[in-house]
Amino acid sequence: MYIAILGRQPALGIAELERTFSGKSVKLLYPQAVSIDCDGFEIQNFGGVPKAGKIIAELPHSDWHQVSQKIVHYYTNEWSTFDGKITVGLSAYNFTVDAREVQKTGIILKQKLKKYDTSIRLVPNIEPALNSATSHHNKLGLSDNKVELLIVRTNDNKVIIAESTGSQNITAYAKRDQERPKRDAFVGMLPPKLAQIMINLASGDSSSTNKQCILDPFCGTGVILQEAVLKGYSAYGTDLSDKMIEYSHDNLDWLSNNYHKKFDYKLHQGDAMNTKWQQPIDIIVGETYLGQPFSAPPSPAKLNEVMQNCNHIITEFLKNLMPQIKTGTQICIAIPAWCDKNGHFNHLPLVSTIARLGYKPHEFTNILQNDLLYYREGQVVARELLVLTKI
Ligand SMILES: C[S@@+](CC[C@H](N)C(=O)[O-])C[C@H]1O[C@@H](n2cnc3c(N)ncnc32)[C@H](O)[C@@H]1O
């Protein structure tokens, strides 16, 4: 049994975990964490999970003082014969304790272990829970002598204690995002983490070992293609713009040089509304045209115009795709939704009529379709994720 600490938009992490492990394997512990009934968990595969750990205990009460005593008692025994120095991080989630109180548990443990000649380096807590960058930089969870305890109070007042099995590699994400040679602020740049989430949403539990082909019909600068080849898929990108095809090429070449691997991909120009794609196409993942960027909510007339245009392009794309893919083909597309000044989202009309186009939306166990929105505070255009199957 594993625990996943979720990212800034927890629903996206829950969705990718449900698609990978099934809805009933994933249980909400509190809004920022879930337990997963699985035998192993490779955190680098999940864009929406900053930290994960193996559950080692479940306690029936939630008082921090008692929890702290149990931790000290258990790990004093556990490490009393440990040879060498142990780096320890403590992260408390959903407790009403401050960082100093959490750190105190570590200090007591350190003092107790001194008697046994076991030496501990405590990672300082600035917050009750270490952020994933700190955990990553300290390599916590990656070896026996670098331990992070994830201590979570659940909604039903239990306490779960897990030993971290690692954090997201934020250095690698930043490199893939910022160091690739071709970026374009106007087409908007999909964060690699979100591309990873979308690939997981579309591929579900299917394995990529037989080199399935992922098509991105709006590939832009190629972020989805990059993440697809890193996962072992063969990637196929098309875009209306020749310039974007060139950008994707350059970025994939750069990736190949950086990872010292030859990746399998093909690219060509094409309008998603009428292109005839080359076969085979196994999975479709794409961030569609999102309309023009806005720095403030547009007037109702302008919004209507942009919405109609996006709705038209994406509907025509879905119609064009339909006869070119097999029944059961899985799709994840990011489409635009616009936030008004009251914080409400305007969704594209096609969202509610998608079944008429021959696609079935995936039903999640722990979240609703409306939860699948990726946006940052103050942004007008959000990305709404649709997870579909061709009927
Ligand atoms: C939001 S961007 C995608 C960005 C991309 N995810 C990336 O990694 O850079 C949308 C892309 O759709 C392309 N596009 C717009 N209309 C299109 C159409 N009818 N057919 C194919 N591509 C189109 C644009 O050129 C743009 O590159």
Side-chain angles (χ1 to χ4, degrees):
M1 197 72 139
Y2 281 76
I3 191 168
I5 304 295
L6 303 164
R8 190 173 57 84
Q9 284 175 267
L12 303 184
I14 295 174
E16 69 171 339
L17 292 171
E18 278 199 20
R19 287 288 281 160
T20 309
F21 298 104
S22 89
K24 62 178 192 312
S25 312
V26 177
K27 193 178 145 231
L28 196 66
L29 299 176
Y30 88 102
Q32 284 295 131
V34 292
S35 65
I36 313 153
D37 192 357
C38 63
D39 299 329
F41 190 84
E42 179 40 72
I43 189 151
Q44 304 312 338
N45 289 340
F46 296 92
V49 181
K51 280 190 207 177
K54 194 165 185 178
I55 296 179
I56 56 150
E58 186 179 313
L59 310 178
H61 47 70
S62 66
D63 171 65
W64 175 258
H65 187 64
Q66 285 171 306
V67 173
S68 167
Q69 280 181 335
K70 292 226 159 150
I71 289 174
V72 169
H73 180 73
Y74 178 83
Y75 283 98
T76 306
N77 276 336
E78 192 74 3
W79 290 335
S80 59
T81 56
F82 195 94
D83 203 11
K85 191 168 187 148
I86 311 174
T87 303
V88 177
L90 294 174
S91 286
Y93 296 92
N94 202 26
F95 282 92
T96 45
V97 281
D98 62 17
R100 268 188 318 178
E101 201 61 28
V102 176
Q103 190 83 68
K104 209 166 117 190
T105 304
I107 294 169
I108 298 170
L109 180 64
K110 188 177 165 119
Q111 283 164 350
K112 296 247 178 202
L113 279 166
K114 238 186 197 158
K115 287 193 213 131
Y116 299 95
D117 278 339
T118 305
S119 126
I120 278 192
R121 182 178 82 83
L122 266 187
V123 179
N125 283 84
I126 295 161
E127 304 280 342
L130 302 174
N131 64 41
S132 53
T134 303
S135 302
H136 167 64
H137 293 312
N138 283 284
K139 299 190 169 55
L140 297 179
L142 301 186
S143 54
D144 283 351
N145 65 343
K146 296 193 191 308
V147 181
E148 179 177 359
L149 300 182
L150 309 174
I151 309 149
V152 179
R153 187 168 71 93
T154 67
N155 276 344
D156 52 1
N157 251 354
K158 289 189 187 118
V159 176
I160 305 270
I161 300 177
E163 287 181 4
S164 163
T165 49
S167 314
Q168 278 180 337
N169 187 343
I170 51 154
T171 320
Y173 280 126
K175 188 175 163 84
R176 296 212 287 279
D177 190 22
Q178 287 149 25
E179 290 184 20
R180 63 210 175 101
K182 295 290 163 57
R183 291 159 57 80
D184 188 304
F186 190 77
V187 300
M189 280 167 298
L190 190 77
K193 278 184 197 177
L194 183 56
Q196 235 182 358
I197 292 173
M198 291 174 65
I199 293 170
N200 285 332
L201 289 178
S203 60
D205 59 1
S206 70
S207 129
S208 61
T209 46
N210 59 354
K211 279 257 175 192
Q212 286 184 311
C213 175
I214 289 194
L215 166 68
D216 179 353
F218 299 86
C219 69
T221 62
V223 179
I224 291 171
L225 305 177
Q226 280 185 251
E227 297 306 312
V229 294
L230 287 175
K231 281 203 88 173
Y233 291 101
S234 90
Y236 181 11
T238 59
D239 197 286
L240 187 61
S241 149
D242 285 316
K243 182 171 128 191
M244 287 301 133
I245 293 301
E246 203 184 296
Y247 275 22
S248 277
H249 244 299
D250 291 355
N251 285 335
L252 284 160
D253 278 354
W254 170 85
L255 191 75
S256 185
N257 290 335
N258 263 272
Y259 281 74
H260 310 293
K261 269 190 186 164
K262 198 172 161 2
F263 294 122
D264 185 12
Y265 68 86
K266 58 176 179 273
L267 295 161
H268 63 80
Q269 188 277 340
D271 184 336
M273 296 192 283
N274 54 36
T275 292
K276 181 139 177 42
W277 289 286
Q278 298 163 23
Q279 295 296 334
I281 305 168
D282 299 305
I283 298 170
I284 291 98
V285 183
E287 181 191 27
T288 66
Y289 178 59
L290 303 176
Q292 69 193 82
F294 290 108
S295 51
S299 67
K302 183 71 193 169
L303 176 63
N304 190 44
E305 178 197 319
V306 177
M307 268 176 96
Q308 292 310 324
N309 186 27
C310 290
N311 203 61
H312 169 73
I313 292 172
I314 301 164
T315 304
E316 290 307 308
F317 148 62
L318 289 169
K319 284 186 190 161
N320 177 38
L321 181 69
M322 175 65 35
Q324 302 192 49
I325 53 174
K326 294 192 222 76
T327 302
T329 302
Q330 314 269 13
I331 300 157
C332 177
I333 50 171
I335 64 171
W338 293 265
C339 188
D340 68 18
K341 34 182 201 304
N342 303 318
H344 297 129
F345 285 94
N346 292 288
H347 300 270
L348 281 181
L350 68 87
V351 175
S352 47
T353 57
I354 198 94
R356 273 188 241 151
L357 295 172
Y359 298 94
K360 183 178 176 301
H362 182 76
E363 282 172 27
F364 292 92
T365 308
N366 294 284
I367 51 164
L368 301 169
Q369 171 58 43
N370 274 354
D371 298 329
L372 289 181
L373 282 173
Y374 178 91
Y375 66 100
R376 290 187 182 277
E377 205 59 46
Q379 266 183 350
V380 177
V381 187
R383 295 160 170 113
E384 174 163 12
L385 304 186
L386 295 184
V387 184
L388 309 168
T389 306
K390 176 180 167 173
I391 307 166

